[in-house]
Amino acid sequence: MSQIDLQPVKGTRDVYPEDMRVRQWLFGQWREVARSFGYEEYDACVLEHAELYIRKAGDEITGQLYDFRDKGDRHLALRPELTPSFARMVMAKGSALPLPARWFALPQCFRYEDTQKGRKREHYQWNMDVVGLASVAAEAELMAAQAEFCRRAGLKLDGSEPEVVWRVSNRQVLGHFLAAMGIDGDQFAAVCVVIDKRDKIGDAATLVELAKVGIDGERGAGILRLLDVRGLDALAQQVPADNPGFIALTELMALLEGWGIAHLIRIDLSVIRGLSYYTGTVWEVFAQVGTIRRAIAGGGRYDNLCAQLGGTAVPMVGFGFGDVVITELLDELGRLPVLGKGIDAVVFPMSAKEFPVANRLAASLRRSGKRIVVDYSGRRFKNAIERAEQDGAKILYILGGNEVKDGVVVERTLGAERIERKVPLADF
Ligand code: HAM
């Protein structure tokens, strides 16, 4: 038989223990921040009903589905995102769910994407979502949680040149502007999906795509002009004071001021997001340092998703924060923590005869909370020390025939100071 392919499936990652340590550190930070804001962890299965992602507005995610029919002819998909599952779970609970509810999750997601820096076909996403709060206080809280994580991860947010910024807009600004032209509902969602691609395809192609969803050249040019607006003051010049998107952004900025993170916010009307379900605030987090020009995280308000899925509309807002971009960014900046294997001590029986005593000693040490490896290799003493030091152990317990006979173990500290002493086995 020829050898199997040693590479993981294209776009997916093998996670060796040294990478897993970093992943667990990242997940630990995410969990701690979410819990510190009172969010509860939940999960759903990676297998979902495919129909949850099949949206007629032309969302890119629909074309990237890993979908198939199972043996019972159900149309299923590996989830590309968690939000629709979240909505499904909220709908299933119905009025039994006390609102507002604050939930978080760390789902693995699958998208058939062109793989490139920061983009894989499989990634993990930290999600925090609030259901049942119509106020932009929810958005402000979510952004504050993201900022707290960035700080804990070692990114510099203070001063005039923060390493990460939040690009924020509100779809209602554009929605209100287009409603005046008679464009709303599904057509509006389709317009959002088109203009989300503007950066990638350029203005000319955007106008062509807009024409395909029924927006003529003149209106198209008006849309592009609005998307070029930066900052609340400039926006105030462009839209009437009663534009609900403008009002919401003004309220949001005031709240973010209170959170002490207004200096990180860039009001940027070009942010629209590629998921058609967003109805209000939309935002993306971007690094200002390093070479990765992709969003680190993205979120938004989606007050109609439950209604689109056939239920009752309920205010919802949240974000997804991927593991790929942030890990690459921290790696590039040399800020990933250096994490050892976390082994405290190694017990070294010199021959198989000492294995039972070694195991009893190890078991007793483990019960006191220590991480213990028993080295059964029978290797030379010098090599046992070397390997234990490589593994980061602080102590080596040596058990030879004589020690067992005398009821003791040799305890040797590792590293620069190699001190040996005999300790009665009864002490453990
Ligand atoms: P999204 O912008 O599609 O939003 O994804 C959120 C984040 O997941 C991105 O900013 C990125 O960090 C990461 N991500 C997405 N696709 C990939 C990929 N192919 N490779 C690596 N990382 C990726 C959503 O998924 C929404 N459901 C987020 C949300 C939650 N909105 C409200 N609640």
Side-chain angles (χ1 to χ4, degrees):
M1 188 184 156
S2 60
Q3 197 185 38
I4 54 149
D5 188 350
L6 297 184
Q7 296 307 310
V9 172
K10 186 172 160 64
T12 71
R13 299 166 288 177
D14 287 333
V15 189
Y16 287 90
E18 56 271 28
D19 307 320
M20 197 67 190
R21 280 179 231 148
V22 175
R23 172 179 289 182
Q24 292 304 350
W25 164 81
L26 180 68
F27 286 12
Q29 298 292 320
W30 282 343
R31 285 200 165 94
E32 265 179 38
V33 171
R35 288 183 185 138
S36 76
F37 279 76
Y39 286 61
E40 289 182 283
E41 187 160 3
Y42 74 104
D43 200 7
C45 185
V46 67
L47 270 188
E48 249 303 355
H49 308 291
E51 64 175 345
L52 282 184
Y53 314 106
I54 297 170
R55 300 180 196 122
K56 51 181 185 288
D59 300 41
E60 209 175 14
I61 222 167
T62 307
Q64 296 172 332
L65 271 192
Y66 276 94
D67 62 332
F68 61 97
R69 293 208 169 264
D70 75 357
K71 291 180 179 35
D73 203 31
R74 296 173 194 88
H75 189 192
L76 303 180
L78 297 181
R79 65 175 167 223
E81 55 160 339
L82 188 63
T83 310
S85 307
F86 174 62
R88 181 176 60 66
M89 289 167 71
V90 167
M91 286 162 71
K93 277 267 182 207
S95 57
L97 182 66
L99 298 181
R102 290 174 161 89
W103 291 6
F104 81 94
L106 302 179
Q108 189 177 25
C109 301
F110 294 83
R111 299 181 189 182
Y112 195 86
E113 296 231 25
D114 290 336
T115 53
Q116 45 188 289
K117 210 166 181 218
R119 273 283 180 280
K120 309 240 174 260
R121 292 189 175 164
E122 154 274 317
H123 71 283
Y124 282 85
Q125 225 186 56
W126 173 37
N127 279 242
M128 275 176 75
D129 288 85
V130 186
V131 51
L133 260 187
S135 160
V136 287
E139 279 92 324
E141 176 176 284
L142 290 163
M143 291 178 196
Q146 291 179 314
E148 177 59 25
F149 160 73
C150 290
R151 276 207 177 90
R152 290 188 190 197
L155 292 165
K156 299 185 179 82
L157 303 188
D158 298 323
S160 57
E161 285 176 19
E163 292 182 332
V164 183
V165 296
W166 277 246
R167 292 173 55 202
V168 183
S169 183
N170 188 307
R171 281 196 178 180
Q172 289 189 40
V173 174
L174 183 66
H176 199 66
F177 176 82
L178 293 183
M181 304 174 181
I183 299 160
D184 55 14
D186 289 348
Q187 197 185 5
F188 173 61
V191 167
C192 289
V193 170
V194 169
I195 57 187
D196 182 60
K197 293 189 232 151
R198 181 186 180 194
D199 268 359
K200 242 188 262 168
I201 64 177
D203 286 359
T206 304
L207 291 171
V208 172
E209 292 294 313
L210 283 174
K212 287 185 195 159
V213 295
I215 311 289
D216 61 37
E218 197 184 321
R219 288 165 167 185
I223 293 174
L224 296 190
R225 267 197 305 280
L226 186 60
L227 297 181
D228 287 335
V229 170
R230 301 288 178 273
L232 270 185
D233 292 342
L235 184 56
Q237 308 293 314
Q238 294 292 321
V239 296
D242 66 348
N243 181 301
F246 172 67
I247 294 171
L249 284 173
T250 309
E251 281 174 17
L252 178 61
M253 275 310 273
L255 286 161
L256 292 167
E257 199 74 61
W259 277 102
I261 54 173
H263 67 292
L264 303 172
I265 308 298
R266 308 282 178 268
I267 299 294
D268 180 339
L269 271 285
S270 71
V271 174
I272 204 82
R273 309 256 308 127
L275 297 159
S276 60
Y277 52 65
Y278 291 120
T279 52
T281 317
V282 276
W283 77 91
E284 289 191 324
V285 184
F286 276 88
Q288 303 292 88
V289 287
T291 58
I292 306 165
R293 290 287 156 255
R294 295 197 152 276
I296 305 178
R301 178 169 282 281
Y302 49 102
D303 291 349
N304 280 335
L305 183 55
C306 286
Q308 280 165 15
L309 297 175
T312 314
V314 51
M316 293 171 114
V317 53
F319 67 77
F321 202 124
D323 67 329
V324 179
V325 182
I326 186 70
T327 307
E328 286 178 1
L329 175 68
L330 293 173
D331 192 23
E332 219 177 72
L333 300 177
R335 309 244 180 101
L336 280 178
V338 180
L339 302 164
K341 291 187 180 183
I343 291 166
D344 294 311
V346 173
V347 178
F348 179 52
M350 311 258 285
S351 78
K353 278 198 256 66
E354 289 83 43
F355 284 0
V357 181
N359 287 335
R360 282 203 295 279
L361 172 61
S364 153
L365 291 164
R366 286 179 192 129
R367 258 177 250 127
S368 67
K370 298 259 177 355
R371 298 176 192 184
I372 307 297
V373 164
V374 180
D375 182 345
Y376 300 114
S377 66
R379 66 179 106 217
R380 290 172 55 199
F381 180 56
K382 182 175 122 241
N383 298 340
I385 293 181
E386 226 170 72
R387 176 61 198 260
E389 286 183 338
Q390 269 170 21
D391 286 353
K394 310 283 178 306
I395 298 174
L396 184 68
Y397 292 98
I398 305 140
L399 278 167
N402 287 339
E403 280 78 26
V404 172
K405 192 157 54 71
D406 297 345
V408 295
V409 60
V410 175
E411 185 187 270
R412 183 183 173 120
T413 53
L414 299 174
E417 242 186 313
R418 292 178 174 174
I419 303 162
E420 274 190 13
R421 62 180 187 123
K422 284 187 179 166
V423 184
L425 283 167
D427 285 5
F428 297 95

